[in-house]
Amino acid sequence: MSQPSGQQARKIVVGVAGGIAAYKACHVVRDLKEHGDDVRVVPTESALNFVGAATFEALSGHPVATTVFDAVDQVQHVRVGQEADAIVIAPATADLIARLAIGRADDLLTATVLVATCPVIVVPAMHTEMWYNAATRENVSTLRRRGITVMEPAHGRLTGRDTGPGRLPDPEQIAELTRTVLDDQPIPHDWAGRKVLISAGGTQENIDPVRYIGNRSSGRQGYALAEIAAQRGAQVTLVVGNVVELPTPAGAEIVRVVSTAEMAEEMARRAPEMDVVIMAAAVADFRPDQVAGAKMKKGSRDETGLQTLHLVENPDILRTLVEARAAGEVPADTVIVGFAAETGDDTHSALDYATAKLARKGCDLLMCNEVGVGKVFGEKRNRGWLLARTADEDSPGVTEVVDGSKAVVAAQILRGVADLLTGDGR
Ligand code: CTP
């Protein structure tokens, strides 16, 4: 979504270090520009071995400089950093991260970071060995301690034959995280050692080999929660029903399911090891009592002229997880979060229905949003209220979740979760 008209474009510096993934920075620049931001690219000298200055200049609409001796009259080494609303460095090589960690200012990019007081997001891309090297680990910790957001690298194919963590996340994910930090606040890296289980997307119930009962869930909110939880340092497992094509959140393990029964089984099996369980999936409440082995033919109507489908109710996964916790099968301090897709009516508001749902489900937190055709489902933004269970079921703690991208909403929900977490993680 673009910024509201009349609002001044935010100034974002895209730093680019010399790695093969430098070409992906072009897409980051384009994504940020398309959302109305004013982007300036500051590459290192070696980045220009991979992508020419002309490309960055054409995409950003600003001249490109690499050293503090370019356009000296404009005092760029100070001005670019001072004026920035955010700096995102993608890709950041092991060498650049090392230079940032010791506070070097030996080119325009490092000088810009040293001057800046705005949020800085560092997006590493390097070989797995370099990422795991003790020197890099320490440098990354140093940057995080200073409040810099260091994005978790994606897993996958690296240059050459190797695979593992170290890949640059998708440009769309980088741009989205940058906007989240700008719109919301820096994401703390405080969940290392925590395990988070999230369901996302819609479950589907087969009618016959070609037809199913499904819903309009896109999976975006669950994926955004996984993304932010992973950026907080948690080990994330995402149990996914049907979703639109979405990039895998950094480092998350994806488990694919189709039906509610499959999702219920995967969630129940994993929940006992988790610190946090979030049911963001839109679960099909009913399934046909039997699945036809062959495609159902037209003309098999009953005596009233109707083609009848008999439905049976599916298990309530969220309630089952809460019951498992009460029975001691899931640790008592595991935080369980539900979602409530509600519509208000003449007698009750969406919030009233959500309050009743929180009591019915027994989870610790319930994110309530209003739904309807074209509202929230499939959209890229969300808003609502986060309800927290209290001793009095009729008056839960209510925190407004302000309108924002699904990543901004996810960051707000996870702050609510963080307030409830105890211990150091399992
Ligand atoms: N949920 C679940 N299992 C189901 C149905 C829903 O775990 N069979 C979870 C959803 O993932 C969500 C919460 O329960 O976290 C509320 O989902 P929602 O569809 O709003 O509620 P329902 O229980 O289906 O209640 P109703 O349709 O009656 O409002």
Side-chain angles (χ1 to χ4, degrees):
M1 179 169 193
S2 312
Q3 291 180 27
S5 58
Q7 192 173 316
Q8 236 201 334
R10 297 176 301 196
K11 287 187 162 50
I12 301 182
V13 171
V14 175
V16 187
I20 186 76
Y23 73 97
K24 291 192 189 169
C26 300
H27 297 280
V28 176
V29 173
R30 211 165 55 189
D31 190 313
L32 292 169
K33 289 271 292 182
E34 277 171 5
H35 281 73
D37 292 313
D38 180 14
V39 182
R40 190 182 177 111
V41 183
V42 181
T44 62
E45 278 283 342
S46 51
L48 296 183
N49 289 321
F50 294 92
V51 180
T55 303
F56 290 135
E57 289 178 347
L59 286 170
S60 67
H62 289 293
V64 157
T66 58
T67 79
V68 293
F69 300 109
D70 293 322
V72 176
D73 58 318
Q74 293 165 33
V75 208
Q76 292 206 89
H77 68 292
V78 182
R79 203 169 48 84
V80 177
Q82 278 173 338
E83 289 178 357
D85 292 306
I87 299 174
V88 51
I89 304 174
T93 54
D95 178 65
L96 183 81
I97 289 172
R99 289 195 287 134
L100 292 175
I102 52 172
R104 296 290 303 264
D106 52 351
D107 60 10
L108 185 57
L109 180 54
T110 46
T112 297
V113 174
L114 213 52
V115 165
T117 52
C118 64
V120 178
I121 299 119
V122 168
V123 193
M126 63 193 73
H127 283 277
T128 304
E129 292 84 347
M130 290 189 185
W131 176 245
Y132 282 139
N133 185 284
T136 307
R137 308 293 342 126
E138 267 178 45
N139 291 333
V140 166
S141 301
T142 302
L143 296 187
R144 283 178 172 152
R145 236 184 359 262
R146 288 183 200 148
I148 289 179
T149 299
V150 182
M151 210 169 163
E152 286 296 319
H155 285 239
R157 183 84 192 272
L158 304 167
T159 332
R161 293 233 190 101
D162 35 352
T163 59
R167 233 174 105 89
L168 194 78
D170 279 13
E172 189 189 315
Q173 291 170 290
I174 298 169
E176 188 60 38
L177 190 85
T178 305
R179 283 189 289 271
T180 305
V181 168
L182 264 170
D183 294 346
D184 190 55
Q185 48 182 266
I187 297 158
H189 196 269
D190 55 352
W191 282 8
R194 296 272 186 211
K195 290 186 174 170
V196 178
L197 177 66
I198 301 170
S199 68
T203 57
Q204 293 180 342
E205 303 296 347
N206 288 339
I207 297 172
D208 66 18
V210 294
R211 303 185 180 92
Y212 61 84
I213 299 173
N215 59 62
R216 292 197 184 90
S217 170
S218 66
R220 283 201 173 92
Q221 188 61 73
Y223 270 64
L225 284 159
E227 187 78 57
I228 304 295
Q231 296 311 330
R232 286 187 84 137
Q235 189 184 323
V236 179
T237 307
L238 196 52
V239 177
V240 178
N242 186 46
V243 293
V244 297
E245 191 68 29
L246 293 169
T248 302
E253 183 197 353
I254 304 266
V255 179
R256 294 201 184 273
V257 296
V258 177
S259 67
T260 302
E262 285 169 20
M263 180 172 279
E265 192 192 320
E266 294 295 347
M267 296 299 285
R269 195 154 59 80
R270 292 176 157 78
E273 288 173 15
M274 298 292 158
D275 295 285
V276 183
V277 178
I278 306 178
M279 278 299 300
V283 181
D285 288 318
F286 305 99
R287 66 179 188 280
D289 64 344
Q290 44 186 300
V291 181
K295 189 181 169 200
M296 285 165 66
K297 298 281 180 224
K298 280 182 288 194
S300 51
R301 292 176 290 248
D302 63 15
E303 60 282 359
T304 59
L306 296 173
Q307 176 82 53
T308 310
L309 203 58
H310 293 277
L311 300 176
V312 289
E313 217 171 293
N314 270 328
D316 186 321
I317 305 174
L318 182 57
R319 255 220 76 74
T320 310
L321 291 166
V322 169
E323 282 163 9
R325 184 175 62 177
E329 294 154 18
V330 170
D333 59 355
T334 297
V335 177
I336 303 182
V337 185
F339 270 72
E342 298 294 344
T343 51
D345 56 27
D346 296 344
T347 54
H348 293 91
S349 69
L351 194 52
D352 292 335
Y353 285 121
T355 301
K357 189 166 283 180
L358 176 67
R360 210 163 60 237
K361 302 265 182 182
C363 50
D364 305 299
L365 292 171
L366 190 81
M367 171 66 202
C368 166
N369 39 50
E370 283 187 291
V371 290
V373 177
K375 235 176 158 185
V376 184
F377 268 5
E379 279 187 9
K380 293 193 174 160
R381 293 172 77 82
N382 202 352
R383 68 173 186 294
W385 305 272
L386 189 62
L387 279 67
R389 194 157 52 93
T390 63
D392 178 1
E393 336 193 287
D394 295 329
S395 54
V398 178
T399 310
E400 193 188 346
V401 173
V402 297
D403 175 80
S405 68
K406 293 202 169 176
V408 167
V409 167
Q412 296 178 76
I413 295 171
L414 295 186
R415 278 203 290 279
V417 171
D419 289 343
L420 300 181
L421 279 175
T422 54
D424 296 328
R426 31 188 76 83

